[in-house]
Amino acid sequence: MKKLLFSFLTLTGFISVGQTSTSIDPRLSADKEVMIKAEENFKNDPVAYEMMVFELNNAWFVKSISEVTDSQKKQLLSIENITDKNGQPFDTSILTNPSEFNFYNYNFARSETQTVGYDLGNGQVLVFYSAEKIRAMYYHSTSKK
């Protein structure tokens, strides 16, 4: 009976490991460099991998330009020079489906300590939290678990 239970638990462990090894977020597979980093983190540093996914989901938001102060408007960056890794201009329509947006695939300027905003030219602003803020948000969210 013990051997049967041990075999079952061992098999369950292998199955669960096998299933998680294929669960890298597809957004992280779109760019070769990012994919390599994601795979490495997934295998060797699960916290770093979880942080990458957390960033994709939480590091940015879109808001109306009418909600931005005049001082903040002066600091907005232009979206005109933002391209993907293949040189294609950024298409704002991707933001309508947040689960597909992968800012790693673009040349957005982000900051360690400052929030960065981009004027999308359509009455909206794309805002990126600072890396510092994202780490704090991540650790706060994981400390609740």
Side-chain angles (χ1 to χ4, degrees), residues 35-65:
M35 181 180 69
I36 290 169
K37 183 177 179 181
E39 287 175 344
E40 183 178 310
N41 286 342
F42 188 81
K43 292 176 186 171
N44 303 318
D45 190 352
V47 172
Y49 171 77
E50 288 175 16
M51 182 67 176
M52 290 178 79
V53 175
F54 184 86
E55 275 190 298
L56 284 174
N57 295 328
N58 299 286
W60 63 277
F61 63 95
V62 176
K63 68 193 239 177
S64 171
I65 199 157

Side-chain angles (χ1 to χ4, degrees), residues 22-40:
T22 60
S23 63
I24 290 179
D25 190 300
R27 294 173 292 179
L28 297 171
S29 300
D31 176 70
K32 186 177 180 178
E33 290 175 30
V34 173
M35 181 180 69
I36 290 169
K37 183 177 179 181
E39 287 175 344
E40 183 178 310

Side-chain angles (χ1 to χ4, degrees), residues 69-132:
T69 67
D70 288 338
S71 173
Q72 291 170 329
K73 286 178 186 174
K74 292 177 185 174
Q75 296 178 6
L76 292 177
L77 301 174
S78 172
I79 200 75
E80 290 180 18
N81 296 322
I82 300 300
T83 60
D84 67 12
K85 304 280 178 157
N86 298 320
Q88 297 299 307
F90 179 70
D91 181 0
T92 59
S93 68
I94 191 76
L95 297 172
T96 59
N97 191 353
S99 65
E100 292 181 10
F101 177 49
N102 181 353
F103 58 81
Y104 290 124
N105 289 338
Y106 298 91
N107 62 332
F108 287 108
R110 296 175 58 215
S111 171
E112 178 66 29
T113 58
Q114 300 292 315
T115 298
V116 176
Y118 284 88
D119 184 346
L120 296 177
N122 61 1
Q124 294 184 312
V125 176
L126 173 60
V127 180
F128 290 100
Y129 289 117
S130 69
E132 203 172 67

